[in-house]
């Protein structure tokens, strides 16, 4: 095994695909400290600037004083506190659904739903660009998984025609590496027609999209119940950690009884649940954060077009700049880092071959000066990379 692993690592390196971690020396924010220097951050999912918000910090500190740190057990044994319970009830009320259930991470929520609910003669039908946790859950499920070309309704309808006892259609609300929003009205109409169920993973929509921040369904003015299974995370716009699934009582009770990634794991610390509650309150009280983010997205679009930087069709906080080659993407990312900008390159297998990209994420905390600085340097580096390629040294 070890010899083969060595070879695999060397192959990754040769393809410019080796991943490296940056070690932060402070809070997640628009300005972050790392390697003894301050950087302007365009790679965080902290869309509303809540990860370092005083109200979340206070909620967590206060709860840690009362509940301690470790939750001590799984939810079903003795780890479920009134902080967890209140968070579930507040989520259900905010979304207008019967119940919500906490999971330690979004990965585990998706994996738990897909491995425990659909059965042997059922079909799971997924968008090809769905998050890895949905694809992994679908592969490990006793049901058969089919995938359709990204957001392609013809391809989707072909898969819906395959025979099955029941069908579960699964889509990201906002696609994490492309930033586009799923065609939810069309998917929902087809699910209705075929008596299929719909699951929406709204990790990048919850808190950000819709007037009230209820996410991608609200964005389309669709009722929350349009998604039989709604999943979202606390680790992105809400500035916290963990995830939840929301829906009717039958869904939640089934997950409590059968969801192995729910049952066989320690509950998130109560202090984390308390911080998540503070985040949930802020997305309701401070709608200006969503409005500011939206203004920043429009400003970024306008400036990118002035600089002739081609963007992908996204109206969300995720604004990828497609580069293509891995080495070129890395080179631009490195040059930006020299200029004090953190913009991490996203390479295969996270994205398809030859579609490496610089995935810009905007937040409510970026100023127009920050966006000016990014685009000025990005335009320069893209030009430089093109010049190098034409001279044959890129
Ligand atoms: C981040 C993300 C997840 C995983 O959530 P974690 O809480 O980070 O495990 C799931 N789905 C999508 C679309 C995501 O972007």
């Amino acid at each position: 095994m070890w010899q083969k692993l060595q070879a695999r690592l060397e192959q990754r390196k040769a393809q410019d695909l080796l991943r490296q971690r940056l070690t932060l020396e402070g809070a997640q924010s628009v300005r972050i400290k790392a390697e003894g220097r301050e950087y302007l951050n365009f790679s965080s999912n902290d869309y509303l600037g809540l990860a370092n918000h005083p109200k979340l910090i206070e909620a967590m500190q206060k709860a840690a004083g009362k509940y301690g740190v470790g939750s001590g057990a799984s939810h079903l044994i003795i780890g479920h506190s009134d902080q967890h319970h209140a968070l579930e009830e507040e989520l259900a009320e905010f979304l207008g659904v019967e119940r919500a259930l906490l999971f330690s991470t979004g990965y585990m929520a998706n994996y738990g739903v897909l491995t425990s609910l659909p059965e042997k003669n059922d079909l799971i039908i997924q968008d090809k660009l769905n998050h890895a946790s949905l694809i992994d859950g679908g592969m490990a499920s006793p049901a058969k998984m089919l995938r359709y070309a990204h957001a392609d309704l013809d391809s989707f309808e072909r898969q819906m025609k395959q025979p099955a006892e029941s069908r579960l259609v699964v889509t990201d609300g906002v696609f994490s590496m492309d930033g586009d929003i799923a065609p939810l009205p069309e998917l929902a109409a087809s699910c209705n027609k075929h008596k299929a169920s719909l699951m929406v993973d709204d990790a990048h929509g919850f808190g950000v999209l819709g007037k009230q921040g209820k996410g991608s369904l609200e964005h389309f003015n669709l009722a929350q119940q349009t998604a039989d299974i709604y999943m979202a995370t606390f680790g992105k716009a809400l500035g916290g950690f963990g995830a939840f699934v929301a829906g009717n009582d039958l869904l939640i009770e089934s997950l409590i009884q059968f969801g192995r990634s729910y049952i066989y794991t320690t509950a998130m610390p109560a202090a984390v649940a308390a911080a998540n509650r503070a985040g949930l309150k802020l997305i309701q009280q401070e709608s200006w954060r969503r409005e500011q983010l939206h203004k920043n997205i429009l400003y970024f679009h306008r400036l990118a077009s002035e600089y002739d930087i081609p963007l992908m069709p996204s109206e969300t906080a995720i604004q990828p700049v497609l580069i293509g080659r891995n080495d070129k993407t890395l080179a631009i990312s490195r040059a930006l880092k020299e200029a004090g900008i953190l913009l991490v390159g996203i390479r295969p297998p996270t994205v398809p071959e030859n579609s490496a990209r610089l995935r810009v994420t905007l937040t409510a905390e970026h100023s127009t000066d920050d966006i000016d600085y990014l685009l000025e340097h990005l335009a320069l580096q893209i030009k430089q990379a093109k010049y190098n390629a034409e001279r044959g040294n890129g």
Side-chain angles (χ1 to χ4, degrees):
M1 179 172 79
W2 303 113
Q3 237 172 0
K4 282 194 268 181
L5 281 175
Q6 194 66 42
R8 264 163 73 190
L9 285 176
E10 272 156 25
Q11 191 192 10
R12 273 219 157 169
K13 192 163 181 193
Q15 296 170 322
D16 287 309
L17 288 177
L18 208 62
R19 284 113 190 283
Q20 269 165 334
R21 302 173 303 174
L22 182 75
T23 309
L24 300 191
E25 291 146 13
Q28 187 62 241
S29 161
V30 162
R31 283 182 180 69
I32 54 177
K33 290 199 184 67
E35 299 166 350
R37 159 162 197 202
E38 192 178 88
Y39 290 97
L40 181 56
N41 181 7
F42 281 100
S43 287
S44 161
N45 300 318
D46 181 25
Y47 302 123
L48 300 179
L50 298 184
N52 191 27
H53 192 286
K55 287 211 169 131
L56 269 76
I57 296 169
E58 189 198 335
M60 194 169 190
Q61 284 174 337
K62 234 172 108 188
K66 178 171 174 189
Y67 297 84
V69 174
S71 63
S74 67
H75 283 277
L76 295 191
I77 303 295
I78 197 77
H80 186 71
S81 75
D82 51 3
Q83 286 295 334
H84 299 111
H85 209 72
L87 176 56
E88 290 181 347
E89 288 182 343
E90 286 158 8
L91 285 163
E93 194 190 329
F94 174 55
L95 291 172
V97 296
E98 288 176 10
R99 287 178 77 180
L101 187 73
L102 304 184
F103 281 79
S104 295
T105 70
Y107 189 102
M108 292 163 77
N110 284 338
Y111 198 86
V113 167
L114 294 186
T115 52
S116 64
L117 304 187
E119 295 179 24
K120 193 162 170 274
N121 296 319
D122 297 340
L123 264 186
I124 295 173
I125 301 174
Q126 302 212 38
D127 189 294
K128 271 203 172 147
L129 292 191
N130 276 353
H131 190 263
S133 53
L134 291 169
I135 302 299
D136 292 359
M139 288 199 292
S141 166
K144 185 172 167 195
M145 176 167 70
L146 297 174
R147 300 204 273 170
Y148 55 92
H150 175 52
D152 180 332
L153 295 169
D154 292 332
S155 166
F156 165 69
E157 286 297 340
R158 277 196 296 279
Q159 302 295 40
M160 286 291 270
K161 292 208 176 81
Q162 302 294 322
E165 278 177 15
S166 68
R167 295 176 182 77
L168 175 61
V169 173
V170 185
T171 183
D172 280 15
V174 175
F175 287 88
S176 46
M177 295 303 140
D178 290 52
D180 55 335
I181 304 174
L184 292 176
E186 291 82 0
L187 295 177
S190 177
C191 285
N192 222 359
K193 197 174 98 194
H194 290 95
K195 294 191 172 50
S197 303
L198 178 64
M199 173 176 184
V200 177
D201 171 347
D202 219 10
H204 297 279
F206 185 64
V208 177
L209 291 182
K211 209 167 170 48
Q212 295 174 274
K214 292 181 187 176
S216 53
L217 292 160
E218 192 192 5
H219 171 83
F220 287 111
N221 288 317
L222 292 169
Q224 185 65 35
Q225 284 71 14
T226 307
D228 303 275
I229 307 173
Y230 181 80
M231 173 274 182
T233 66
F234 300 113
K236 287 161 183 153
L238 267 74
F241 182 77
F244 70 90
V245 171
N248 66 18
D249 183 59
L250 176 61
L251 165 70
I252 301 303
E253 203 49 42
S254 303
L255 287 171
I256 294 174
Q257 302 306 324
F258 308 125
R260 294 168 67 88
S261 69
Y262 178 74
I263 301 167
Y264 298 107
T265 197
T266 302
M268 72 169 67
V272 172
N276 291 339
R277 290 179 72 193
L280 180 61
K281 217 180 244 165
L282 281 174
I283 65 163
Q284 296 173 71
Q285 288 170 344
E286 301 192 353
S287 57
W288 64 264
R289 289 178 186 274
R290 271 189 294 286
E291 286 150 23
Q292 186 57 47
L293 173 60
H294 190 64
K295 279 185 201 153
N296 283 349
I297 295 167
L298 295 180
Y299 185 74
F300 177 87
H301 275 178
R302 209 183 73 210
L303 219 61
S305 108
E306 278 172 26
Y307 276 113
D308 261 335
I309 296 176
L311 298 177
M312 291 171 66
S314 161
E315 48 182 309
T316 68
I318 302 167
Q319 292 290 332
V321 179
L322 191 68
I323 303 294
R325 285 176 55 158
N326 302 328
D327 55 353
K328 201 164 147 190
T329 307
L330 272 186
I332 297 174
S333 178
R334 281 195 191 118
L336 290 173
K337 196 170 163 209
E338 297 270 301
I341 298 168
L342 277 183
L343 177 54
V344 177
I346 310 281
R347 292 163 285 163
T350 305
V351 292
E353 288 294 328
N354 303 314
S355 77
R357 64 199 67 179
L358 296 155
R359 175 181 176 268
V360 176
T361 52
L362 297 165
T363 80
E365 305 266 285
H366 285 116
S367 67
T368 50
D369 280 354
D370 295 336
I371 298 171
D372 286 342
Y373 189 78
L374 167 70
L375 285 173
E376 182 191 321
H377 285 269
L378 190 55
L380 191 76
Q381 291 309 329
I382 290 174
K383 213 179 275 172
Q384 183 72 43
K386 201 168 156 201
Y387 175 75
N388 286 345
E390 277 161 13
R391 288 185 27 176
N393 33 337

